[in-house]
Each structure stands twice: as structure tokens, then as C-alpha cells.
Amino acid sequence: MNYKIFGKKSGLRVSELVLGTGNFGTRWGHGATPEESKKVFDAYVAAGGNFIDTADGYQVGESEELLAGFIADKRDDLVLASKFSMGGSTLLTTGNSRKTMIRAVEASLKRLKTDRLDLYWAHLDDQHTPLEELVRGFDDLVRDGKILYAGLSNYPAWKIANASLLADLRGWSPIVGIQIEYNLIERTPDRELLPMAQSLGLGVAFWSPLAGGTLTGKYRTPSADKDNRQVAWGGLLVKGESSNRETLILDTLADIASTHQAKMLHVALAWLRQRHQPKELSTVTILGPRNVAQLQDNLDSLQVTLSDEEISRLNEVSAISLGSPHEIIKESQKLIYGDGFGRVLS
Ligand SMILES: NC(=O)c1ccc[n+]([C@@H]2O[C@H](COP(=O)([O-])OP(=O)(O)OC[C@H]3O[C@@H](n4cnc5c(N)ncnc54)[C@H](OP(=O)(O)O)[C@@H]3O)[C@@H](O)[C@H]2O)c1
């Protein structure tokens, strides 16, 4: 396991693989029992992992409740992150208002039986709360000692850039990172979110690195085992193989995996790890295992190193159109400057 500083706005030392705990508990009708969750947690820590991702809403609070028991004797050696926005079920217990934020952080601390969260994410843009209220709210929580760092999950790039600038100019605690859906199938963050994070020095945490299981290849062959997310959640949080592009991605993964005598998921996770080198952007991958065998399989991806040619192949088959204005900028640069443009600027 390697360690990184999470972006340029924090000194947080985090492992490159994060333990996602959306599967800790069974209140959503699909997940891991307390006993299995404990095995997953212990195996992750034994492998050198130190970054735990939960949320107030995961398995209706069960994820945080289970973690309370697991983290108690190693609290100082873990980076504990939780989220708010979707933990409640009523008008005033959801969203990102200051009222929801304060209630939610106090409830998370109680469930987790700890005094502070190391990193607190707004889970999702509620599209109403003014950014000033949110960022100043985070700053108050930092000053109160209830959280140490703040970040934004599932926010559009222009709002993150505004929030980050607001925090910097007003001397409030910075927005240190973003949490986004990113994997070989979902590459739209290449348009705005990733260049923004690089430019602003934000740490990046990728969620759904296996597209909810699709990149393991397990949905390509019919199986009698119906205990999977696709069936249990009716396709929620699973990006299926529904186009030629996705079929090509999965075929390429299978081909590269066979040359490494590895599994498709190892190659999918190795691509995420190698694609954004630390010098360019500080990225970590949030794993989502449902049992200890899946965790071990995910961790084994660290043994696979892809060649530059393999990374280029995967980049190409999964590439998306960057759209406007990126395409017209690229075309115009070629037209005006030819190949000399890169040389002039580098
Ligand atoms: N910020 C957000 O909005 C957000 C959203 C989603 C997730 N997250 C975070 O990111 C974490 C990871 O996301 P994710 O759970 O979607 O990740 P993922 O790795 O894309 O999907 C996890 C699922 O993949 C399947 N899987 C994993 N390893 C496998 C293996 N070795 N063999 C077969 N199947 C395997 C399992 O499916 P089955 O259950 O079918 O076995 C597992 O539940 C979450 O736990 C959470 O902490 C954040």
C-alpha cells in the first residue's frame, strides 16, 4: 500500500486505497453482516489501509454504528470520513442547510462514538443551499473541533471552484477535496472535474471504481447466484454493459487481464491507480467490498502494474467526447499552431 498527501490543501496522509463502507450492514436489504463487516475492516487495516469512508445514510446508519466498535482502539491511526445531505428522510433532515449539517454531524459523532470526524463531505448538491452557508458552516465545525477537513461530493465543477475560492478569499477552512464517480465506464469527470481538481490542488476520491460490479465481468455470464447488487437494488449504483463502447471496454479488460494472469477487476483498479500519477493529481480509490474475499481480490490489484501501452489502450477504448468548448479549442489549436503549440508552451 502506498500513501499520499490528500491534495495540496491538506497535510492528511492517506492510503491510496480507501475502505468504502456502503456495504457495512444489511438495512438496505443487501450488504454485509456485522461479523463479515468486521472481517473486511480488519483485513483492510492489516493491509496498511488507513482511510475509511462512510456516510450518515449508509445502510440507514448501520455503517457508522458498526464502525464505532471497529475503530475504537485505532482511532488515531485512521482518517475517518463521513458525509451528510441524505441521512434523514424528512424535509429538515435532508439537504445541505446549516440546520441539517449541525444535526447530522452531531448524530454521526454519536453513532461513531468519536469526538470528531477527520473529513466531512457534503454528500450531494441539494441545489438550494447558498455556497456561503455551506462553506462557512464547514468552517464553524472546524473551529468547534467537530471536523478537521471538509470536502464536496457529487457537486458540479463550477460550484466547487466557487466554494474553494470563497473559502480561500475569506480565510475559511479550505475545501480540501472532491468525491466523484469515476471508472472506465464513467469518464465524464475528464471534462471539468478532474482538470479543476488539478488546477485547484484538490484531492480526489473515486467512488464506484468497478462501476458497481460490472467491471469484474460477473454480469456477462448468467449466474444462479442472485445475491448481487444488480438484483437486490434493481440496477441502482450498477453501470451496466449497454453499448458497444462498454462491450469494448470489458473485452479489452479481459484481454489485458489474461496477459497478466489477473482478473478484470485487477486491471480496472490498476488503471485508476496508474492513470493519474501523484505529480499531476492526488487521487485515491474508494473500494466497495461486500465480503472479505472481495476485499482481498480488490487489494490484489496492487500486484498488477500496467504498461504504458496497456494504459493507452484502455484510455482509448473508454474515451469520451469532451464536448464544447474543449473540442473546438483542440481543433482550433491544431489549425492555428499545428504541432508546434505544445512545444511553445512546454
Ligand atoms: N459519494 C457518493 O455519492 C458515493 C456513491 C457510491 C459509493 N460511494 C462510496 O464508494 C464506495 C465504493 O463504491 P461502490 O460500492 O459502488 O464500489 P464498486 O467497487 O464499484 O462496487 C462494489 C460492488 O462490486 C462488487 N464487487 C466488488 N468486488 C468484487 C469481486 N471481487 N467479485 C465480484 N464482485 C465484486 C460487489 O457487488 P455485489 O454486492 O453484487 O457482490 C460490490 O458490492 C462505497 O462503499 C462508498 O463508501 C460514494
Side-chain angles (χ1 to χ4, degrees):
M1 188 80 74
N2 286 314
Y3 301 87
K4 302 180 172 190
I5 302 296
F6 191 54
K8 295 197 168 77
K9 296 192 176 229
S10 86
L12 260 186
R13 299 166 181 190
V14 297
S15 52
E16 60 189 329
L17 295 180
V18 185
L19 180 61
T21 61
N23 277 328
F24 276 27
T26 53
R27 288 184 195 156
W28 281 343
H30 181 69
T33 61
E35 297 71 29
E36 192 65 29
S37 304
K38 172 84 167 101
K39 282 188 207 160
V40 172
F41 179 87
D42 287 346
Y44 169 76
V45 172
N50 74 0
F51 196 172
I52 311 293
D53 184 72
T54 185
D56 55 357
Y58 286 175
Q59 303 284 354
V60 200
E62 194 177 356
S63 172
E64 288 187 334
E65 288 164 20
L66 292 175
L67 280 170
F70 305 164
I71 61 175
D73 61 348
K74 39 185 83 64
R75 183 66 188 88
D76 289 345
D77 291 313
L78 295 173
V79 174
L80 179 62
S82 192
K83 320 184 190 72
F84 80 103
S85 303
M86 298 192 280
S89 55
T90 63
L91 198 62
L92 289 176
T93 58
T94 50
N96 298 335
S97 70
R98 177 182 282 262
K99 179 170 170 65
T100 307
M101 173 192 266
I102 301 302
R103 186 205 63 84
V105 77
E106 286 170 356
S108 283
L109 292 174
K110 213 178 207 175
R111 275 190 295 272
L112 285 159
K113 296 197 170 85
T114 190
D115 295 333
R116 63 179 176 278
L117 295 170
D118 300 323
L119 173 57
Y120 202 35
W121 300 100
H123 206 152
L124 183 94
D125 178 14
D126 72 2
Q127 302 193 298
H128 298 290
T129 303
L131 288 173
E132 287 84 352
E133 178 173 330
L134 181 68
V135 185
R136 176 58 204 267
F138 279 141
D139 185 59
D140 285 345
L141 290 181
V142 171
R143 286 171 206 261
D144 270 3
K146 287 187 172 149
I147 70 168
L148 302 185
Y149 300 96
L152 298 174
S153 158
N154 305 317
Y155 263 74
W158 65 272
K159 287 196 181 181
I160 298 168
N162 271 342
S164 176
L165 191 66
L166 254 181
D168 290 352
L169 291 182
R170 301 226 171 135
W172 296 340
S173 301
I175 300 299
V176 300
I178 60 172
Q179 189 170 140
I180 56 172
E181 181 181 12
Y182 192 68
N183 54 55
L184 273 163
I185 294 178
E186 182 52 83
R187 284 195 52 194
T188 50
D190 286 334
R191 291 186 181 132
E192 299 286 345
L193 286 159
L194 290 173
M196 174 208 64
Q198 188 172 334
S199 164
L200 299 181
L202 304 178
V204 182
F206 299 137
W207 64 261
S208 261
L210 299 177
T214 298
L215 296 176
T216 64
K218 70 178 179 178
Y219 292 124
R220 303 195 102 181
T221 45
S223 161
D225 182 9
K226 298 294 173 220
D227 188 18
N228 60 53
R229 185 180 288 189
Q230 179 86 282
V231 172
W233 295 348
L236 188 72
L237 288 181
V238 178
K239 283 251 183 303
E241 182 181 346
S242 54
S243 70
N244 290 340
R245 171 179 170 268
E246 282 140 24
T247 295
L248 191 56
I249 292 168
L250 289 170
D251 287 347
T252 309
L253 270 183
D255 189 40
I256 296 175
S258 73
T259 66
H260 284 266
Q261 292 176 321
K263 295 184 180 179
M264 288 165 68
L265 78 113
H266 298 147
V267 177
L269 294 175
W271 175 82
L272 276 179
R273 186 181 79 239
Q274 288 182 244
R275 187 175 144 67
H276 298 285
Q277 296 300 316
K279 61 182 162 44
E280 298 165 353
L281 192 64
S282 173
T283 68
V284 293
T285 297
I286 314 179
L287 307 178
R290 189 169 55 85
N291 54 48
V292 74
Q294 287 184 358
L295 172 77
Q296 196 50 57
D297 232 359
N298 281 234
L299 292 174
D300 287 347
S301 65
L302 293 173
Q303 309 310 320
V304 172
T305 302
L306 302 175
S307 66
D308 290 347
E309 191 258 327
E310 287 166 337
I311 292 177
S312 300
R313 247 181 100 190
L314 288 165
N315 286 347
E316 272 162 36
V317 296
S318 63
I320 53 155
S321 158
L322 292 183
S324 182
H326 310 289
E327 299 294 342
I328 187 69
I329 292 171
K330 204 165 61 187
E331 286 310 308
S332 304
Q333 282 180 351
K334 252 195 255 157
L335 205 66
I336 301 167
Y337 302 102
D339 287 343
F341 192 63
R343 281 203 302 280
V344 172
L345 289 187
S346 59

